[in-house]
Amino acid sequence: MPKNSNHVDFVAAKSALNGDDFALANCIRALSIDAVNAANSGHPGAPMGMADAATVLFKNHLKFDAFAPDWADRDRFVLSNGHASMLLYSLLHLTGYKDMTIDQVRNFRQAGALTAGHPEFGHAGGIETTTGPLGQGIAAAVGMALAEKALAAEFGSDVVNHKTYVMLGDGCLQEGIGQEAISFAGHLGLGKLIVLYDDNEITIDGATSVSFSEDIPARFTACGWHVQSCDGHDHAALDAAITAAKNETDKPSLIAMKTVIGFGSPNKAGSASSHGSPLGEAEGQLAKETLGWTSAPFEIPADLAQQWRDIGARGAADRSAWEERLNAHPQAAEFKRRMSGVLPTGFDQAVADARAALFANPQKVATRKASQIALETLTEAVPEMIGGSADLTGSNLTRVPAVDSQFTRDTAGRYIGYGVREFAMGAAMNGMNNHGGLIPYGGTFMVFSDYVRNAIRLSALMEVGTIYVMTHDSIGLGEDGPTHQPVEHLASLRAMPNLNVFRPADAVEALECWDIAVRSRKTPSLLALSRQGVPQLRTQDTGENLSAKGAYVIRQFGDTRDLTILATGTEVEIAVKAAEALHANGHGVAVVSMPSWELFDAQPAEYRAEVLGSAPRIAVEAAAKFGWTRYVATEDDVIGMTTFGASAPIDALYQQFGITADAIIARANALLG
């Protein structure tokens, strides 16, 4: 295969320009070529193009200690264009992260390896968040920068003073969430957020001109960012740009780096053919020859390996000094508790007191209001809780006295106004969880869970306990009409692994669901909450969190059970009314409240059988019927929605769509004969 002489000359010029550090970058390129070729799968082009910037960042600027990956005050590094994962894995291996061995690199994309096709949070030290769905990395990084600012305001810069660096490509900027994140970060003036943009003019479909033509530096400037441009293969220029970005404290920074995708490949550099396919053995060998690389596959020359290990150990002295400062800090114990994820010792008592208050003074309120009542206690007891809403605070009721200070560019308060940016809100909250030290919750309407869904999915995939407050949970929101009335959303969300979907029936269940959500640091929670008021159905305190079982018998009418009515949320009240009428006609009826399918399905078989009983069952929920046949015989036994909603007052809508006590009674009579 003949070489492209122009690219060979270009590489030679950059080699001469960068001196000895060029070989450090080539370590990344060689490992990326080898791993992708060995897997016969992956994306070699971006790691090869970004290797120079990564080398300069890790060698000269990034504050980290490869031998202490969880150092709380390390700089965070996020690879937002996660398909370039071999860039990150190469860096982690070269700098000496213990679990990123050469065998892990050799087994890139193979079963059981830590080196998944896209970086997965929790798989290995140094992977700060899961990336791959483009744009979510930069949005999570915004959350990390928010967390840094919030914790620094509370504990001081001696303990919390680090930056968040992001590498991203054109795809992250084309995705809508990317713009949401950029706009939000600029508005808040997150000066410790630094983005390195891999401007290589290539997408999967070919040149970016196919679909993308805006002036990216101008876009960032318009959003309030500090903006620079430089040659992404000039180490001195990159070093100067990163230094200038670090010195900018009032604005987040963008460094637009002009790069060549597949740098070093004489026949595939600068083209889409190097984006998402292996170079192949022949072209890989030509690329190494062009780069001046003579080592065997997966081998790093000893002198270069030592230089990289020295880079990985460079932060040890800073970390040691930081640990001394932390141990001498008057809030050391509290900071360590926060970062370890352990709840305050007073949390259990706070929940118990809140329960006692509800039973002493039963509340007839919308469950969104019940949620706010619960938050008033929990946020006081748990100072790491940080709230917010996507421009719906007055509707979501997520703001309470303890979480009332507004997060602004000047003050890091406990309440974040995300604006109409639902997706970025979810991803930023994930980033706060990735960072550690905070428990974020954020609200929007249930129908807009569609907008934030992929961030919810990453919460579940990463096993981080982000809390989503979704109000206006059914046709019960009324006059706003079908565009705002969620119908299929509960079924869709219940299908997601490792997500607890809660639909509480009253104020007691709302508190119990919040109790579970705050404790669940490995499983995200979504609270589906009503606009309309419901009575407090639980009036006797057994001292047990019954919602933690997912479902339980909330009412038993009669000594026998001829029928079981299953319901969630505001429809539990309707089920109770129907059961009372059926009992008056001589039937024994149990009403089961099911605030969480997920928690119920996790209970022992004996408990589930006891709750469900052997009698015929009817399910009631003001949402799509889909999924309920796991608990009832057929969809004919589900009192629910088969169409979208309509615009009308609440009572009229429940009558129109047949979600009534009369409809339950009619179906019960058909079953009971």
Side-chain angles (χ1 to χ4, degrees):
M1 183 182 293
K3 293 183 180 181
N4 181 328
S5 59
N6 288 336
H7 187 67
V8 172
D9 291 343
F10 178 78
V11 172
K14 297 303 179 185
S15 174
L17 176 68
N18 295 319
D20 293 342
D21 284 354
F22 186 73
L24 291 175
N26 284 342
C27 297
I28 299 170
R29 295 186 177 105
L31 287 176
S32 298
I33 292 169
D34 293 339
V36 175
N37 274 346
N40 197 28
S41 173
H43 300 74
M48 295 169 72
M50 294 192 292
D52 292 304
T55 298
V56 173
L57 176 62
F58 273 66
K59 178 176 180 288
N60 299 343
H61 298 282
L62 193 72
K63 183 175 71 171
F64 76 111
D65 181 354
F67 303 97
D70 297 327
W71 174 19
D73 201 39
R74 68 192 181 279
D75 289 342
R76 271 59 172 181
F77 173 70
V78 174
L79 183 68
S80 190
N81 47 343
H83 56 269
S85 55
M86 268 312 305
L87 176 77
L88 179 57
Y89 301 148
S90 298
L91 287 163
L92 298 180
H93 170 66
L94 291 167
T95 54
Y97 282 79
K98 181 175 62 175
D99 44 10
M100 194 55 65
T101 64
I102 193 62
D103 284 340
Q104 293 293 341
V105 176
R106 286 179 183 274
N107 285 287
F108 176 56
R109 290 187 166 221
Q110 303 308 298
L114 304 179
T115 45
H118 295 83
E120 302 286 352
F121 177 72
H123 280 205
I127 301 176
E128 300 288 4
T129 189
T130 294
T131 57
L134 293 176
Q136 287 204 61
I138 172 61
V142 170
M144 294 176 193
L146 285 166
E148 192 278 342
K149 185 170 182 176
L151 292 169
E154 186 169 0
F155 293 97
S157 60
D158 280 352
V159 173
V160 183
N161 186 12
H162 55 266
K163 293 178 169 58
T164 303
Y165 292 92
V166 184
M167 281 191 165
L168 54 70
D170 295 300
C172 293
L173 301 180
Q174 291 178 35
E175 288 284 359
I177 187 176
Q179 180 56 30
E180 290 181 30
I182 292 159
S183 171
F184 191 45
H187 170 73
L188 289 178
L190 298 177
K192 292 183 179 179
L193 176 64
I194 299 173
V195 170
L196 290 85
Y197 163 41
D198 180 34
D199 182 9
N200 60 36
E201 301 183 359
I202 294 294
T203 69
I204 292 175
D205 283 353
T208 51
S209 58
V210 170
S211 58
F212 193 54
S213 56
E214 67 253 43
D215 184 334
I216 292 300
R219 197 217 290 186
F220 275 78
T221 299
C223 289
W225 286 59
H226 170 243
V227 174
Q228 304 172 80
S229 297
C230 74
D231 179 347
H233 301 297
D234 182 335
H235 288 210
L238 287 161
D239 186 65
I242 296 171
T243 299
K246 288 166 65 177
N247 290 331
E248 174 58 58
T249 58
D250 296 329
K251 298 178 180 180
S253 289
L254 171 75
I255 302 171
M257 311 178 302
K258 187 60 69 176
T259 62
V260 176
I261 192 171
F263 179 91
S265 174
N267 298 293
K268 294 188 176 184
S271 70
S273 62
S274 69
H275 173 87
S277 300
L279 294 185
E281 292 303 322
E283 183 65 16
Q285 185 57 40
L286 286 176
K288 290 180 180 180
E289 291 174 5
T290 301
L291 294 166
W293 188 265
T294 59
S295 296
F298 297 106
E299 289 188 7
I300 304 296
D303 60 328
L304 296 177
Q306 187 58 55
Q307 288 183 61
W308 271 114
R309 289 301 171 97
D310 290 344
I311 291 169
R314 174 173 49 80
D318 282 346
R319 176 181 56 80
S320 178
W322 174 84
E323 289 173 346
E324 290 183 11
R325 294 197 304 274
L326 173 62
N327 290 331
H329 196 281
Q331 294 175 282
E334 174 65 5
F335 182 81
K336 292 176 181 178
R337 180 193 69 77
R338 297 269 193 98
M339 296 306 295
S340 70
V342 174
L343 289 173
T345 54
F347 180 72
D348 289 346
Q349 188 60 52
V351 173
D353 291 345
R355 285 177 66 89
L358 289 176
F359 287 111
N361 181 28
Q363 303 281 317
K364 181 178 181 178
V365 293
T367 55
R368 62 171 175 162
K369 179 62 178 178
S371 166
Q372 186 181 48
I373 293 169
L375 279 172
E376 287 175 357
T377 296
L378 300 185
T379 54
E380 184 71 34
V382 186
E384 58 264 43
M385 290 181 72
I386 183 167
S389 175
D391 203 47
L392 288 168
T393 295
S395 296
N396 300 150
L397 304 184
T398 42
R399 194 164 195 155
V400 292
V403 182
D404 192 41
S405 53
Q406 190 73 34
F407 197 114
T408 70
R409 67 185 304 119
D410 299 317
T411 304
R414 284 182 68 184
Y415 195 81
I416 302 172
Y418 290 97
V420 188
R421 303 184 183 97
E422 295 92 350
F423 196 178
M425 175 182 72
M429 290 195 295
N430 286 341
M432 290 183 223
N433 272 311
N434 295 142
H435 180 282
L438 298 175
I439 299 177
Y441 68 89
T444 187
F445 285 170
M446 180 74 174
V447 76
F448 300 136
S449 63
D450 283 341
Y451 285 166
V452 72
R453 181 182 176 86
N454 208 256
I456 299 171
R457 186 174 187 273
L458 281 196
S459 305
L461 182 62
M462 291 191 289
E463 299 183 350
V464 297
T466 304
I467 303 173
Y468 299 90
V469 182
M470 301 286 179
T471 69
H472 297 59
D473 67 346
S474 71
I475 59 170
L477 69 88
E479 293 85 347
D480 275 347
T483 60
H484 283 54
Q485 291 167 1
V487 173
E488 72 279 19
H489 300 72
L490 282 168
S492 172
L493 290 160
R494 285 168 177 156
M496 191 179 294
N498 193 43
L499 172 67
N500 287 333
V501 180
F502 296 104
R503 191 163 186 251
D506 66 0
V508 174
E509 284 192 3
L511 174 63
E512 290 179 338
C513 292
W514 264 110
D515 179 18
I516 299 163
V518 173
R519 295 179 193 275
S520 298
R521 296 298 83 222
K522 294 291 186 179
T523 299
S525 299
L526 186 145
L527 287 83
L529 305 168
S530 74
R531 178 192 180 202
Q532 72 269 36
V534 286
Q536 184 172 313
L537 298 171
R538 296 257 299 279
T539 57
Q540 299 295 320
D541 189 3
T542 64
E544 181 182 7
N545 185 328
L546 296 177
S547 296
K549 294 182 176 181
Y552 61 97
V553 177
I554 194 170
R555 290 285 191 279
Q556 175 68 53
F557 296 95
D559 296 329
T560 62
R561 190 189 298 198
D562 302 317
L563 179 76
T564 300
I565 306 175
L566 314 173
T568 75
T570 49
E571 285 72 69
V572 177
E573 177 194 9
I574 299 173
V576 169
K577 289 179 179 177
E580 289 174 336
L582 288 165
H583 180 56
N585 288 330
H587 298 296
V589 184
V591 178
V592 173
S593 180
M594 298 189 74
S596 172
W597 288 16
E598 297 79 19
L599 295 182
F600 180 63
D601 290 346
Q603 299 305 307
E606 296 80 6
Y607 177 78
R608 285 182 279 123
E610 177 186 349
V611 170
L612 294 175
S614 57
R617 301 177 204 132
I618 296 172
V620 191
E621 188 170 63
K625 297 182 178 184
F626 186 83
W628 274 105
T629 50
R630 71 198 304 168
Y631 304 122
V632 300
T634 74
E635 285 194 353
D636 291 338
D637 297 327
V638 183
I639 308 300
M641 298 291 293
T642 58
T643 67
F644 293 111
S647 178
I650 295 170
D651 292 343
L653 288 173
Y654 273 75
Q655 288 292 329
Q656 177 181 341
F657 292 104
I659 302 175
T660 63
D662 287 343
I664 299 171
I665 293 167
R667 184 59 190 166
N669 288 334
L671 288 173
L672 297 174

